[in-house]
Amino acid sequence: MIDKTVGKGLWLVFALALTGSAAWSQEIAGEEMRMTIAVHNDAGISADTLRGAEMEASRVFRQSGIAAKWLNCPLPPDGPEDPAQCRIAAFPAHLQLRIARRSRNLSEITFGISYLSADGSGCYANLFYQRVEEMHERSGVNLASLLGDVAAHEIGHLLRGTNSHAASGIMRSRWQNEELGSINTGTLFFSDPESLQMRSKLASWQAKRKDDFRVASARLGD
């Protein structure tokens, strides 16, 4: 059964593959944080549902001060984007999200899993679309919204690192009726501390890129 009873509620379960702890840097105030997510639609989700899910996840991250760009892979070779971007995995600004039909070896109630290295960083997350479909049918929650919020949860693990489940909200490990109701009302978000932590990771990366560019420019000027 994908929906187990807790009191009278349905719940969703998320997994996290991790082996260490992570620290995070100070936020750069006033600067927009950006990230790119390459999406691999192995489950064959319809274009409308996938677009709706990406719009929902973007809305959630925008509430945290993060702009998300989605690359639906594979990209056409003659398109405006470089197809090679579908292969880039660069923590934390270029992440990989694979949507499979089902999990081969995880519990039947697991909706997704994120993979973290020993230092708490990670670029890869998987979602299991069959689980999302089944929960949609049982709960009546909009399919695209549910998929988008599940995606945001898994990407949140990648950006936040180890020990990133929370007692409530989008990062709760088991979504119950409260979280499902918040999806219906469009109010399932990251908390302020969670948002700050994610922004800090991206801010640190952006600052390092600027420093590297300045160093490279200085060397060219020698």
Side-chain angles (χ1 to χ4, degrees):
M1 294 290 291
I2 191 164
D3 56 318
K4 293 194 175 181
T5 302
V6 179
K8 295 183 179 180
L10 300 173
W11 49 271
L12 287 70
V13 173
F14 299 90
L16 181 63
L18 49 85
T19 56
S21 60
W24 52 280
S25 62
Q26 294 296 318
E27 179 186 27
I28 298 177
E31 186 172 358
E32 184 178 44
M33 302 302 139
R34 298 177 180 273
M35 66 177 175
T36 299
I37 304 101
V39 180
H40 303 270
N41 181 13
D42 294 352
I45 302 170
S46 72
D48 286 345
T49 298
L50 186 58
R51 182 165 50 249
E54 290 169 354
M55 290 176 61
E56 169 65 9
S58 290
R59 187 184 67 85
V60 171
F61 280 110
R62 191 160 53 245
Q63 180 76 11
S64 294
I66 298 170
K69 177 183 178 181
W70 305 87
L71 298 176
N72 293 314
C73 300
L75 295 171
D78 58 348
E81 303 283 357
D82 180 1
Q85 292 187 66
C86 284
R87 300 189 296 271
I88 296 174
F91 177 81
H94 204 301
L95 307 176
Q96 298 278 334
L97 178 66
R98 187 167 298 278
I99 307 177
R101 184 66 193 170
R102 62 180 63 84
S103 170
R104 294 182 179 179
N105 52 17
L106 293 175
S107 165
E108 65 176 12
I109 58 174
T110 300
F111 281 70
I113 184 168
S114 300
Y115 298 93
L116 302 180
S117 63
D119 65 357
S121 65
C123 295
Y124 298 93
N126 292 345
L127 301 186
F128 309 122
Y129 185 60
Q130 180 177 306
R131 308 293 180 242
V132 177
E133 276 188 317
E134 291 170 346
M135 181 55 70
H136 156 69
E137 292 169 358
R138 286 161 170 75
S139 67
V141 174
N142 179 271
L143 178 60
S145 297
L146 182 59
L147 180 62
D149 287 337
V150 170
H153 175 104
E154 294 303 337
I155 295 166
H157 277 309
L158 297 180
L159 292 178
R160 297 189 62 225
T162 56
N163 302 316
S164 51
H165 277 133
S168 62
I170 198 167
M171 292 309 296
R172 189 173 184 175
S173 61
R174 295 180 177 181
W175 288 0
Q176 302 184 25
N177 283 346
E178 180 180 356
E179 285 76 29
L180 295 173
S182 294
I183 294 175
N184 273 332
T185 58
T187 56
L188 188 64
F189 295 118
F190 294 97
S191 68
D192 288 345
E194 290 166 351
S195 298
L196 179 61
Q197 187 178 10
M198 293 188 298
R199 283 177 56 81
S200 178
K201 289 279 182 70
L202 290 164
S204 178
W205 179 83
Q206 290 184 191
K208 184 178 184 303
R209 282 194 70 191
K210 289 181 178 180
D211 288 343
D212 290 345
F213 178 79
R214 282 194 291 267
V215 170
S217 298
R219 287 175 178 170
L220 288 173
D222 289 344

PDB file of all heavy atoms in Angstrom, residues 126-148:
ATOM      1  N   ASN A 126      16.360  11.418  -7.599  1.00  0.00           N
ATOM      2  CA  ASN A 126      15.401  10.634  -8.364  1.00  0.00           C
ATOM      3  C   ASN A 126      13.999  10.802  -7.787  1.00  0.00           C
ATOM      4  O   ASN A 126      13.840  10.856  -6.559  1.00  0.00           O
ATOM      5  CB  ASN A 126      15.760   9.150  -8.337  1.00  0.00           C
ATOM      6  CG  ASN A 126      17.037   8.842  -9.087  1.00  0.00           C
ATOM      7  OD1 ASN A 126      17.539   9.651  -9.857  1.00  0.00           O
ATOM      8  ND2 ASN A 126      17.578   7.662  -8.855  1.00  0.00           N
ATOM      9  N   LEU A 127      12.991  10.844  -8.653  1.00  0.00           N
ATOM     10  CA  LEU A 127      11.590  10.808  -8.256  1.00  0.00           C
ATOM     11  C   LEU A 127      10.945   9.583  -8.869  1.00  0.00           C
ATOM     12  O   LEU A 127      11.343   9.131  -9.942  1.00  0.00           O
ATOM     13  CB  LEU A 127      10.846  12.055  -8.746  1.00  0.00           C
ATOM     14  CG  LEU A 127      11.347  13.419  -8.284  1.00  0.00           C
ATOM     15  CD1 LEU A 127      10.389  14.505  -8.769  1.00  0.00           C
ATOM     16  CD2 LEU A 127      11.483  13.474  -6.785  1.00  0.00           C
ATOM     17  N   PHE A 128       9.900   9.083  -8.196  1.00  0.00           N
ATOM     18  CA  PHE A 128       9.213   7.890  -8.668  1.00  0.00           C
ATOM     19  C   PHE A 128       7.763   8.257  -8.992  1.00  0.00           C
ATOM     20  O   PHE A 128       6.922   8.415  -8.102  1.00  0.00           O
ATOM     21  CB  PHE A 128       9.319   6.784  -7.626  1.00  0.00           C
ATOM     22  CG  PHE A 128      10.746   6.556  -7.184  1.00  0.00           C
ATOM     23  CD1 PHE A 128      11.114   6.679  -5.862  1.00  0.00           C
ATOM     24  CD2 PHE A 128      11.728   6.258  -8.121  1.00  0.00           C
ATOM     25  CE1 PHE A 128      12.425   6.486  -5.459  1.00  0.00           C
ATOM     26  CE2 PHE A 128      13.048   6.074  -7.740  1.00  0.00           C
ATOM     27  CZ  PHE A 128      13.399   6.188  -6.411  1.00  0.00           C
ATOM     28  N   TYR A 129       7.494   8.380 -10.287  1.00  0.00           N
ATOM     29  CA  TYR A 129       6.244   8.972 -10.748  1.00  0.00           C
ATOM     30  C   TYR A 129       5.029   8.120 -10.396  1.00  0.00           C
ATOM     31  O   TYR A 129       3.955   8.656 -10.104  1.00  0.00           O
ATOM     32  CB  TYR A 129       6.308   9.189 -12.253  1.00  0.00           C
ATOM     33  CG  TYR A 129       5.109   9.919 -12.806  1.00  0.00           C
ATOM     34  CD1 TYR A 129       4.790  11.207 -12.364  1.00  0.00           C
ATOM     35  CD2 TYR A 129       4.290   9.329 -13.765  1.00  0.00           C
ATOM     36  CE1 TYR A 129       3.696  11.886 -12.869  1.00  0.00           C
ATOM     37  CE2 TYR A 129       3.197  10.001 -14.275  1.00  0.00           C
ATOM     38  CZ  TYR A 129       2.907  11.273 -13.824  1.00  0.00           C
ATOM     39  OH  TYR A 129       1.821  11.937 -14.324  1.00  0.00           O
ATOM     40  N   GLN A 130       5.171   6.809 -10.407  1.00  0.00           N
ATOM     41  CA  GLN A 130       4.030   5.965 -10.084  1.00  0.00           C
ATOM     42  C   GLN A 130       3.508   6.262  -8.687  1.00  0.00           C
ATOM     43  O   GLN A 130       2.292   6.275  -8.457  1.00  0.00           O
ATOM     44  CB  GLN A 130       4.416   4.486 -10.197  1.00  0.00           C
ATOM     45  CG  GLN A 130       3.275   3.526  -9.882  1.00  0.00           C
ATOM     46  CD  GLN A 130       3.683   2.086 -10.086  1.00  0.00           C
ATOM     47  OE1 GLN A 130       4.162   1.716 -11.151  1.00  0.00           O
ATOM     48  NE2 GLN A 130       3.519   1.265  -9.061  1.00  0.00           N
ATOM     49  N   ARG A 131       4.413   6.508  -7.745  1.00  0.00           N
ATOM     50  CA  ARG A 131       3.994   6.824  -6.373  1.00  0.00           C
ATOM     51  C   ARG A 131       3.207   8.136  -6.333  1.00  0.00           C
ATOM     52  O   ARG A 131       2.221   8.261  -5.620  1.00  0.00           O
ATOM     53  CB  ARG A 131       5.223   6.938  -5.469  1.00  0.00           C
ATOM     54  CG  ARG A 131       6.167   5.753  -5.537  1.00  0.00           C
ATOM     55  CD  ARG A 131       5.526   4.504  -4.961  1.00  0.00           C
ATOM     56  NE  ARG A 131       6.449   3.377  -5.036  1.00  0.00           N
ATOM     57  CZ  ARG A 131       6.214   2.274  -5.738  1.00  0.00           C
ATOM     58  NH1 ARG A 131       5.103   2.163  -6.437  1.00  0.00           N
ATOM     59  NH2 ARG A 131       7.090   1.293  -5.755  1.00  0.00           N
ATOM     60  N   VAL A 132       3.677   9.109  -7.121  1.00  0.00           N
ATOM     61  CA  VAL A 132       2.992  10.402  -7.153  1.00  0.00           C
ATOM     62  C   VAL A 132       1.596  10.241  -7.763  1.00  0.00           C
ATOM     63  O   VAL A 132       0.614  10.798  -7.257  1.00  0.00           O
ATOM     64  CB  VAL A 132       3.822  11.423  -7.948  1.00  0.00           C
ATOM     65  CG1 VAL A 132       3.087  12.760  -8.045  1.00  0.00           C
ATOM     66  CG2 VAL A 132       5.185  11.629  -7.285  1.00  0.00           C
ATOM     67  N   GLU A 133       1.497   9.475  -8.837  1.00  0.00           N
ATOM     68  CA  GLU A 133       0.188   9.222  -9.463  1.00  0.00           C
ATOM     69  C   GLU A 133      -0.780   8.572  -8.482  1.00  0.00           C
ATOM     70  O   GLU A 133      -1.959   8.961  -8.402  1.00  0.00           O
ATOM     71  CB  GLU A 133       0.361   8.305 -10.672  1.00  0.00           C
ATOM     72  CG  GLU A 133       0.749   8.985 -11.955  1.00  0.00           C
ATOM     73  CD  GLU A 133       0.697   8.020 -13.118  1.00  0.00           C
ATOM     74  OE1 GLU A 133       1.158   6.874 -12.981  1.00  0.00           O
ATOM     75  OE2 GLU A 133       0.183   8.417 -14.178  1.00  0.00           O
ATOM     76  N   GLU A 134      -0.302   7.586  -7.759  1.00  0.00           N
ATOM     77  CA  GLU A 134      -1.168   6.878  -6.822  1.00  0.00           C
ATOM     78  C   GLU A 134      -1.642   7.798  -5.699  1.00  0.00           C
ATOM     79  O   GLU A 134      -2.799   7.745  -5.290  1.00  0.00           O
ATOM     80  CB  GLU A 134      -0.424   5.663  -6.258  1.00  0.00           C
ATOM     81  CG  GLU A 134      -0.207   4.576  -7.297  1.00  0.00           C
ATOM     82  CD  GLU A 134       0.723   3.478  -6.823  1.00  0.00           C
ATOM     83  OE1 GLU A 134       1.415   3.688  -5.798  1.00  0.00           O
ATOM     84  OE2 GLU A 134       0.763   2.420  -7.476  1.00  0.00           O
ATOM     85  N   MET A 135      -0.748   8.642  -5.201  1.00  0.00           N
ATOM     86  CA  MET A 135      -1.154   9.581  -4.161  1.00  0.00           C
ATOM     87  C   MET A 135      -2.144  10.602  -4.702  1.00  0.00           C
ATOM     88  O   MET A 135      -3.100  10.988  -4.022  1.00  0.00           O
ATOM     89  CB  MET A 135       0.068  10.263  -3.559  1.00  0.00           C
ATOM     90  CG  MET A 135      -0.269  11.254  -2.444  1.00  0.00           C
ATOM     91  SD  MET A 135      -1.253  10.524  -1.107  1.00  0.00           S
ATOM     92  CE  MET A 135      -0.047   9.440  -0.349  1.00  0.00           C
ATOM     93  N   HIS A 136      -1.937  11.046  -5.924  1.00  0.00           N
ATOM     94  CA  HIS A 136      -2.885  11.959  -6.571  1.00  0.00           C
ATOM     95  C   HIS A 136      -4.273  11.329  -6.626  1.00  0.00           C
ATOM     96  O   HIS A 136      -5.280  11.985  -6.315  1.00  0.00           O
ATOM     97  CB  HIS A 136      -2.383  12.295  -7.978  1.00  0.00           C
ATOM     98  CG  HIS A 136      -3.437  12.709  -8.931  1.00  0.00           C
ATOM     99  ND1 HIS A 136      -4.118  13.919  -8.822  1.00  0.00           N
ATOM    100  CD2 HIS A 136      -3.950  12.068 -10.024  1.00  0.00           C
ATOM    101  CE1 HIS A 136      -4.999  14.005  -9.811  1.00  0.00           C
ATOM    102  NE2 HIS A 136      -4.924  12.906 -10.538  1.00  0.00           N
ATOM    103  N   GLU A 137      -4.354  10.060  -7.007  1.00  0.00           N
ATOM    104  CA  GLU A 137      -5.637   9.384  -7.127  1.00  0.00           C
ATOM    105  C   GLU A 137      -6.305   9.202  -5.775  1.00  0.00           C
ATOM    106  O   GLU A 137      -7.531   9.305  -5.656  1.00  0.00           O
ATOM    107  CB  GLU A 137      -5.446   8.030  -7.802  1.00  0.00           C
ATOM    108  CG  GLU A 137      -5.029   8.148  -9.268  1.00  0.00           C
ATOM    109  CD  GLU A 137      -4.578   6.830  -9.858  1.00  0.00           C
ATOM    110  OE1 GLU A 137      -4.560   5.815  -9.102  1.00  0.00           O
ATOM    111  OE2 GLU A 137      -4.231   6.797 -11.061  1.00  0.00           O
ATOM    112  N   ARG A 138      -5.523   8.959  -4.737  1.00  0.00           N
ATOM    113  CA  ARG A 138      -6.092   8.721  -3.411  1.00  0.00           C
ATOM    114  C   ARG A 138      -6.455  10.001  -2.677  1.00  0.00           C
ATOM    115  O   ARG A 138      -7.399  10.028  -1.893  1.00  0.00           O
ATOM    116  CB  ARG A 138      -5.113   7.899  -2.564  1.00  0.00           C
ATOM    117  CG  ARG A 138      -5.045   6.435  -2.966  1.00  0.00           C
ATOM    118  CD  ARG A 138      -3.780   5.783  -2.454  1.00  0.00           C
ATOM    119  NE  ARG A 138      -3.803   4.339  -2.626  1.00  0.00           N
ATOM    120  CZ  ARG A 138      -3.629   3.716  -3.780  1.00  0.00           C
ATOM    121  NH1 ARG A 138      -3.428   4.418  -4.882  1.00  0.00           N
ATOM    122  NH2 ARG A 138      -3.669   2.400  -3.853  1.00  0.00           N
ATOM    123  N   SER A 139      -5.699  11.056  -2.919  1.00  0.00           N
ATOM    124  CA  SER A 139      -5.892  12.287  -2.156  1.00  0.00           C
ATOM    125  C   SER A 139      -6.677  13.348  -2.897  1.00  0.00           C
ATOM    126  O   SER A 139      -7.244  14.257  -2.281  1.00  0.00           O
ATOM    127  CB  SER A 139      -4.532  12.870  -1.757  1.00  0.00           C
ATOM    128  OG  SER A 139      -3.826  13.312  -2.911  1.00  0.00           O
ATOM    129  N   GLY A 140      -6.677  13.273  -4.239  1.00  0.00           N
ATOM    130  CA  GLY A 140      -7.343  14.313  -5.025  1.00  0.00           C
ATOM    131  C   GLY A 140      -6.506  15.566  -5.202  1.00  0.00           C
ATOM    132  O   GLY A 140      -6.961  16.536  -5.804  1.00  0.00           O
ATOM    133  N   VAL A 141      -5.270  15.567  -4.703  1.00  0.00           N
ATOM    134  CA  VAL A 141      -4.372  16.713  -4.874  1.00  0.00           C
ATOM    135  C   VAL A 141      -3.958  16.807  -6.341  1.00  0.00           C
ATOM    136  O   VAL A 141      -3.709  15.794  -6.997  1.00  0.00           O
ATOM    137  CB  VAL A 141      -3.129  16.573  -3.972  1.00  0.00           C
ATOM    138  CG1 VAL A 141      -2.125  17.679  -4.251  1.00  0.00           C
ATOM    139  CG2 VAL A 141      -3.537  16.600  -2.507  1.00  0.00           C
ATOM    140  N   ASN A 142      -3.909  18.024  -6.872  1.00  0.00           N
ATOM    141  CA  ASN A 142      -3.522  18.239  -8.257  1.00  0.00           C
ATOM    142  C   ASN A 142      -2.213  17.532  -8.575  1.00  0.00           C
ATOM    143  O   ASN A 142      -1.231  17.653  -7.850  1.00  0.00           O
ATOM    144  CB  ASN A 142      -3.390  19.740  -8.515  1.00  0.00           C
ATOM    145  CG  ASN A 142      -2.955  20.051  -9.931  1.00  0.00           C
ATOM    146  OD1 ASN A 142      -1.767  20.129 -10.212  1.00  0.00           O
ATOM    147  ND2 ASN A 142      -3.919  20.221 -10.823  1.00  0.00           N
ATOM    148  N   LEU A 143      -2.190  16.778  -9.682  1.00  0.00           N
ATOM    149  CA  LEU A 143      -1.039  15.942 -10.015  1.00  0.00           C
ATOM    150  C   LEU A 143       0.222  16.766 -10.258  1.00  0.00           C
ATOM    151  O   LEU A 143       1.289  16.466  -9.717  1.00  0.00           O
ATOM    152  CB  LEU A 143      -1.359  15.094 -11.246  1.00  0.00           C
ATOM    153  CG  LEU A 143      -0.234  14.190 -11.769  1.00  0.00           C
ATOM    154  CD1 LEU A 143       0.212  13.195 -10.706  1.00  0.00           C
ATOM    155  CD2 LEU A 143      -0.692  13.460 -13.029  1.00  0.00           C
ATOM    156  N   ALA A 144       0.115  17.812 -11.069  1.00  0.00           N
ATOM    157  CA  ALA A 144       1.299  18.623 -11.384  1.00  0.00           C
ATOM    158  C   ALA A 144       1.826  19.323 -10.133  1.00  0.00           C
ATOM    159  O   ALA A 144       3.043  19.397  -9.921  1.00  0.00           O
ATOM    160  CB  ALA A 144       0.969  19.637 -12.474  1.00  0.00           C
ATOM    161  N   SER A 145       0.921  19.826  -9.297  1.00  0.00           N
ATOM    162  CA  SER A 145       1.356  20.499  -8.067  1.00  0.00           C
ATOM    163  C   SER A 145       2.049  19.526  -7.128  1.00  0.00           C
ATOM    164  O   SER A 145       3.083  19.850  -6.521  1.00  0.00           O
ATOM    165  CB  SER A 145       0.150  21.138  -7.367  1.00  0.00           C
ATOM    166  OG  SER A 145      -0.426  22.143  -8.165  1.00  0.00           O
ATOM    167  N   LEU A 146       1.493  18.321  -7.001  1.00  0.00           N
ATOM    168  CA  LEU A 146       2.095  17.314  -6.142  1.00  0.00           C
ATOM    169  C   LEU A 146       3.475  16.929  -6.646  1.00  0.00           C
ATOM    170  O   LEU A 146       4.446  16.879  -5.874  1.00  0.00           O
ATOM    171  CB  LEU A 146       1.186  16.081  -6.086  1.00  0.00           C
ATOM    172  CG  LEU A 146       1.630  14.922  -5.195  1.00  0.00           C
ATOM    173  CD1 LEU A 146       1.795  15.373  -3.747  1.00  0.00           C
ATOM    174  CD2 LEU A 146       0.628  13.776  -5.292  1.00  0.00           C
ATOM    175  N   LEU A 147       3.596  16.709  -7.947  1.00  0.00           N
ATOM    176  CA  LEU A 147       4.889  16.355  -8.525  1.00  0.00           C
ATOM    177  C   LEU A 147       5.898  17.481  -8.349  1.00  0.00           C
ATOM    178  O   LEU A 147       7.063  17.240  -8.016  1.00  0.00           O
ATOM    179  CB  LEU A 147       4.715  16.032 -10.012  1.00  0.00           C
ATOM    180  CG  LEU A 147       5.975  15.635 -10.779  1.00  0.00           C
ATOM    181  CD1 LEU A 147       6.579  14.353 -10.218  1.00  0.00           C
ATOM    182  CD2 LEU A 147       5.657  15.462 -12.267  1.00  0.00           C
ATOM    183  N   GLY A 148       5.465  18.717  -8.536  1.00  0.00           N
ATOM    184  CA  GLY A 148       6.368  19.850  -8.380  1.00  0.00           C
ATOM    185  C   GLY A 148       6.866  20.013  -6.963  1.00  0.00           C
ATOM    186  O   GLY A 148       8.053  20.319  -6.742  1.00  0.00           O
TER     187      GLY A 148
END
